Amino acid sequence: MNPPQPREARWPPEPEEVPGSWAEIVGKHGESRARRAHRKVSHGFYLPKHLEVTRQSRAIAAARSHRGGVISGATAARAHRHPWPASGLPEIIVARRSNSHSRHGDLGADDIRLISRNLARPPETVPAGDVKLLIAAPVDTTIDCVAALPDDEAVAFLDGALHTWDIGRDLHQWAHQSRKHGCRRMRDLLPRTDARAESRPESILRYRLNSAGYHGWVPQFPVTAGNVGHFIDLADPYHRIALEFHGAGHWDDPRQRQADAERTNRLRQADWYPIEVTASDLWGNFPRILRSIDEARRTIEEEWAAARIIQQSRWR
């Protein structure tokens, strides 16, 4: 027998990727084939044996096993096309209190959580295969995901949500009018968001800079350098410092690396001070970024001081 083939979680799932109840499986395939060709996911729901049991499939099974269960968290974020959900984002099932054994708990795994709360908006009914699933609306998906993430990842998720879903007014209303758990934190985080952000690392970098006392960074700042228009990932317009985040693709692809070098040269010619930031800097050596910024600011301010001295000497 061939081993299970792993599949990347995606939305919408293929019909066979939606766990079915035992009655549904038997009704389709008969009991003998159902036992032979299917494996248990959880709570009486099954998948074909050739499919890997993923977090998404277990989340769907968990939602179906709780009457009225609403899928939130990572799967809901994918369903609504969030541009960059965090890799560690859990699956979340919002269930009626009467259907859950505790207010907060897991469903057999640390990365699937069961919660009970009143939703801010009605859930959406989404067809998946032969069944219909309840998916939390974007505002509720954001509320649940933010509650499950640390502050830097939460701000990054909020940036992506505001960039994609236009739910800023709904979130502000919920944060300021509701007294539910998480409202105060949402009120604290919303002023630190920026819908102009274009990537998760960019958002996390901006949050960490602000937290370290390095303020004034503008995401996707437009500049013209060498008659070519650019958007700087994070710009300090006062000092004309450009932080450019370069992921693995920027280093692995020679053509991309060449394009980056040309872009950096054009920025320098336009009197900007570019600083390349890598993933290892952001997650493993953040002080290196701060030192680079400090060095750039000192250099720029020294150049300004020298220019003032020269200008003053000309006036004499």
Side-chain angles (χ1 to χ4, degrees):
M1 181 179 295
N2 293 329
Q5 297 299 312
R7 294 195 181 188
E8 182 181 354
R10 56 188 174 182
W11 194 270
E14 295 295 329
E16 67 174 357
E17 295 173 332
V18 178
S21 69
W22 183 246
E24 291 168 343
I25 300 295
V26 171
K28 281 185 179 181
H29 305 289
E31 185 169 352
S32 176
R33 183 180 172 190
R35 293 187 183 279
R36 184 174 65 254
H38 291 79
R39 65 168 68 192
K40 185 176 181 180
V41 178
S42 64
H43 301 285
F45 285 82
Y46 299 79
L47 276 178
K49 285 185 176 179
H50 69 276
L51 294 181
E52 181 184 22
V53 176
T54 64
R55 286 199 309 160
Q56 179 167 285
S57 61
R58 287 190 285 112
I60 294 173
R64 296 197 67 201
S65 69
H66 289 77
R67 183 175 299 176
V70 177
I71 298 173
S72 186
T75 289
R78 284 192 296 272
H80 293 302
R81 301 293 190 267
H82 191 285
W84 56 77
S87 57
L89 189 62
E91 302 289 351
I92 299 171
I93 307 301
V94 184
R96 298 173 184 172
R97 191 183 304 274
S98 60
N99 286 342
S100 61
H101 299 294
S102 62
R103 182 175 178 80
H104 296 275
D106 64 52
L107 299 172
D110 293 337
D111 53 9
I112 300 184
R113 303 179 185 178
L114 175 67
I115 66 173
S116 176
R117 71 174 184 87
N118 294 325
L119 296 171
R121 296 289 182 271
E124 300 180 9
T125 302
V126 178
D130 297 330
V131 302
K132 293 183 178 180
L133 303 173
L134 293 176
I135 304 290
V139 64
D140 285 295
T141 298
T142 302
I143 290 169
D144 293 332
C145 290
V146 166
L149 294 169
D151 286 352
D152 56 353
E153 292 280 11
V155 167
F157 190 94
L158 282 167
D159 282 353
L162 297 174
H163 180 88
T164 305
W165 298 333
D166 190 25
I167 56 172
R169 179 178 297 180
D170 289 340
L171 287 175
H172 280 279
Q173 181 179 359
W174 180 83
H176 289 85
Q177 295 183 4
S178 176
R179 296 184 179 181
K180 301 298 183 182
H181 176 74
C183 290
R184 179 179 297 179
R185 181 166 178 256
M186 184 70 79
R187 289 196 298 269
D188 292 340
L189 293 179
L190 281 172
R192 309 188 72 171
T193 63
D194 196 314
R196 292 172 292 183
E198 288 284 349
S199 74
R200 170 175 164 258
E202 174 191 311
S203 295
I204 291 174
L205 176 58
R206 189 189 74 247
Y207 174 87
R208 293 185 180 181
L209 288 172
N210 289 335
S211 297
Y214 290 66
H215 302 291
W217 297 95
V218 180
Q220 298 303 308
F221 188 79
V223 300
T224 300
N227 295 322
V228 178
H230 296 286
F231 287 90
I232 295 172
D233 289 345
L234 280 178
D236 172 358
Y238 179 74
H239 291 93
R240 295 176 72 85
I241 298 174
L243 296 185
E244 298 281 79
F245 182 82
H246 289 170
H250 290 263
W251 306 99
D252 298 339
D253 185 342
R255 289 177 298 180
Q256 180 63 58
R257 191 63 194 140
Q258 178 65 30
D260 291 338
E262 293 172 357
R263 173 187 173 100
T264 296
N265 289 334
R266 285 194 294 266
L267 288 172
R268 288 193 178 118
Q269 291 166 5
D271 295 326
W272 280 82
Y273 195 113
I275 298 174
E276 293 182 339
V277 178
T278 67
S280 60
D281 291 329
L282 180 56
W283 280 283
N285 192 12
F286 186 70
R288 204 282 299 179
I289 303 174
L290 302 183
R291 290 194 298 270
S292 297
I293 293 171
D294 289 338
E295 180 181 347
R297 287 180 174 177
R298 282 195 301 269
T299 299
I300 292 165
E301 289 169 0
E302 288 171 0
E303 290 174 355
W304 288 349
R308 283 194 297 269
I309 292 173
I310 293 172
Q311 188 66 36
Q312 291 169 359
S313 67
R314 290 175 178 172
W315 291 343
R316 293 174 183 171

